[in-house]
Amino acid sequence: MSFKIAGIAMASLMACGGAIAQNQSVEVVHWWTSGGEAAALNVLKQNLEKQGIAWKDSPIAGGGGEQAMTAVRARVSAGIPPTAVQMLGYDITDWAKQNVLADLNAVAAHDNWDKVVPLALQKFSKYNGKWVAAPVNVHSTNWVWANKDVLAKAGVTKEPANWDQFIDDLDKVQKAGFVALAHGGQPWQEVTVFDGVALSTGGVDFYRKAFIELDPKALGSPTMEKVFQRMSQLRKFVDKDFSGRDWNVAAGMVISGKAGYEIMGDWAKGEFLNAKKVPGKDFVCFRVPGSQGSVTFNSDQFAMFQVKGDKIAAQNKLAAAIMDKGFQSAFNVVKGSVPARTDVPDAAFDDCGKKGMRDLAEANKNNTLVGSLAHGHAVPASIKNAFYDVITRHFNGQLDDKKAVQAMMSAAKG
Ligand code: GAL
């Protein structure tokens, strides 16, 4: 190399180095705006800031992320994609197909992601052999959260062993003057409840056939009608002000002792912890009765968009930070989820977290791990939204149980 070329190379390296020290930043779009969610995200933000990377926070409120996805579409069509976007399942694949996501293969190979990330997640993190997203957690939706004190006052002394016992317990709590089931009337929340009810009612094979394989026989089956009958049963335990309520407000009703139960993914635990409540002492967690042994999962991943110049180095650091083993423990302890790597010890997790990790490993081994319909891991958004519509209309009394079954069959056709 001539002196001249070496000089230019050195000068540009220094310019680049200077720029890195001062200007490295990431813009992250997400919908983690509740107290528990924000606390978890802070772990990541601080981690990056320690590395000298500025964090531009772009929150778009709305549980389940529908509003965030609308905002991202606008950003990408305007040609100004953010560095990273919190994203679920098939939404990642949809963006990857449009060839707008970054190639993370170098960082993934360096940190051995292929070995440590479960295949069920890799299905969404990779597209055509290329890593396009970094998974930060694994949540699951078939959970119930309950206030211990409320249960004691209502005379409920043990965990329900099956669906009918659960209904009896809800009834006791209601009769004791509490809101039995804290619920937020938003389509994604109704479908979150539906995930657990379907899994419990029909078992994992039914769930897989109906919502992943879209098998018309399963979709139109008597089992499906039973699922809707059970949704109708639950509807009676919801208070009159449920419409439009945010999920974390519903969790707050359980936390404060106004309500007995919430059926919600394990991000609800983040709210209990944020309110300084202790599992086993103040609240209990259990799988939707009848669904123990199977798991409806969703994994929050950060889909990385194609960016230019300095932004690429910062993006790679963000990806590496998300997959860091220590970070995955620290983050998920606060978030309520479990790590997206198989090699993170459970030592730092509370009892609900330990149970979540055990259940996930067992379901993975037994092939009883299925993607959440509510959270974009069963079918792409076009079909998911059609299911949302049916389930929410049914919950709001616009369709009876039988008509809902028919509507599910049409919805599956897209
Ligand atoms: C889910 C997401 C969770 C949690 C929840 C409520 O879709 O996976 O991390 O944020 O929405 O906002």
Side-chain angles (χ1 to χ4, degrees):
M1 196 189 276
S2 75
F3 278 123
K4 199 171 159 206
I5 296 174
I8 293 167
M10 188 53 85
S12 56
L13 202 70
M14 283 167 66
C16 201
I20 284 170
Q22 288 159 24
N23 294 333
Q24 269 202 357
S25 68
V26 288
E27 186 198 352
V28 182
V29 171
H30 61 89
W31 62 93
W32 284 335
T33 54
S34 79
E37 291 172 329
L41 190 66
N42 245 339
V43 180
L44 182 60
K45 198 174 149 193
Q46 282 164 6
N47 190 321
L48 283 217
E49 281 169 355
K50 261 191 229 140
Q51 298 184 51
I53 300 171
W55 177 278
K56 181 163 185 278
D57 204 39
S58 294
I60 312 276
E66 240 180 303
Q67 288 88 329
M69 289 308 101
T70 308
V72 169
R73 275 193 291 279
R75 287 285 302 268
V76 180
S77 17
I80 39 166
T83 320
V85 179
Q86 177 194 357
M87 223 179 257
L88 299 170
Y90 281 101
D91 289 339
I92 307 172
T93 313
D94 285 348
W95 281 113
K97 280 186 184 152
Q98 297 193 38
N99 201 21
V100 288
L101 298 187
D103 180 350
L104 304 175
N105 273 3
V107 57
H110 183 265
D111 294 340
N112 238 336
W113 296 4
D114 275 308
K115 290 254 154 50
V116 295
V117 176
L119 288 178
L121 305 194
Q122 288 194 29
K123 176 178 169 197
F124 301 108
S125 337
K126 287 172 93 168
Y127 184 73
N128 280 346
K130 214 166 76 179
W131 282 87
V132 294
V136 69
N137 64 15
V138 189
H139 273 301
S140 53
T141 54
N142 56 321
W143 284 105
V144 184
W145 308 90
N147 181 309
K148 268 195 97 173
D149 197 36
V150 170
L151 300 197
K153 285 184 181 142
V156 175
T157 50
K158 58 179 195 316
E159 208 177 282
N162 55 43
W163 183 262
D164 292 342
Q165 278 181 23
F166 185 38
I167 296 295
D168 284 351
D169 292 348
L170 281 158
D171 199 46
K172 281 187 191 150
V173 173
Q174 191 171 54
K175 289 204 170 110
F178 300 98
V179 174
L181 188 63
H183 176 68
Q186 297 171 346
W188 76 269
Q189 294 190 62
E190 265 115 43
V191 188
T192 301
V193 173
F194 185 92
D195 273 0
V197 174
L199 194 61
S200 151
T201 311
V204 72
D205 292 338
F206 163 78
Y207 184 100
R208 190 177 276 127
K209 279 205 181 98
F211 308 116
I212 296 173
E213 295 165 8
L214 303 178
D215 170 29
K217 253 176 76 189
L219 283 162
S221 64
T223 308
M224 186 66 82
E225 191 178 335
K226 194 161 176 205
V227 175
F228 280 107
Q229 283 163 0
R230 287 182 167 185
M231 290 297 286
S232 299
Q233 277 184 303
L234 291 179
R235 177 67 181 81
K236 299 195 183 101
F237 296 111
V238 167
D239 68 320
K240 64 174 183 17
D241 300 324
F242 78 103
S243 273
R245 177 187 286 142
D246 284 329
W247 68 273
N248 52 313
V249 175
M253 290 165 67
V254 180
I255 292 168
S256 69
K258 193 169 178 229
Y261 302 93
E262 182 180 27
I263 301 175
M264 187 46 63
D266 41 13
W267 46 90
K269 195 187 78 179
E271 294 303 298
F272 283 87
L273 300 182
N274 199 44
K276 305 276 172 282
K277 301 293 179 191
V278 179
K281 182 172 159 276
D282 304 308
F283 69 97
V284 283
C285 59
F286 52 90
R287 294 291 174 181
V288 171
S291 73
Q292 179 66 48
S294 303
V295 170
T296 35
F297 83 97
N298 62 297
S299 161
D300 290 302
Q301 308 213 13
F302 282 97
M304 304 289 173
F305 279 80
Q306 284 164 18
V307 289
K308 295 198 182 93
D310 284 359
K311 290 192 174 149
I312 299 175
Q315 184 176 59
N316 281 330
K317 284 193 188 161
L318 172 64
I322 289 169
M323 289 306 296
D324 177 77
K325 213 166 146 178
F327 163 75
Q328 289 258 340
S329 178
F331 173 87
N332 286 300
V333 159
V334 181
K335 184 70 169 68
S337 36
V338 306
R341 318 176 40 123
T342 50
D343 58 350
V344 179
D346 71 359
F349 288 78
D350 60 36
D351 287 352
C352 293
K354 285 195 171 80
K355 173 172 169 51
M357 287 174 84
R358 260 195 330 269
D359 288 354
L360 181 71
E362 187 193 295
N364 195 25
K365 193 174 98 222
N366 298 340
N367 196 23
T368 54
L369 178 66
V370 281
S372 155
L373 171 65
H375 296 268
H377 283 68
V379 282
S382 50
I383 300 174
K384 178 193 87 170
N385 291 337
F387 282 142
Y388 264 40
D389 190 53
V390 177
I391 293 162
T392 222
R393 280 196 292 143
H394 171 266
F395 201 76
N396 285 287
Q398 291 157 10
L399 289 174
D400 65 20
D401 303 339
K402 279 199 171 18
K403 288 211 181 90
V405 175
Q406 292 304 317
M408 288 300 270
M409 291 176 74
S410 325
K413 294 183 189 131

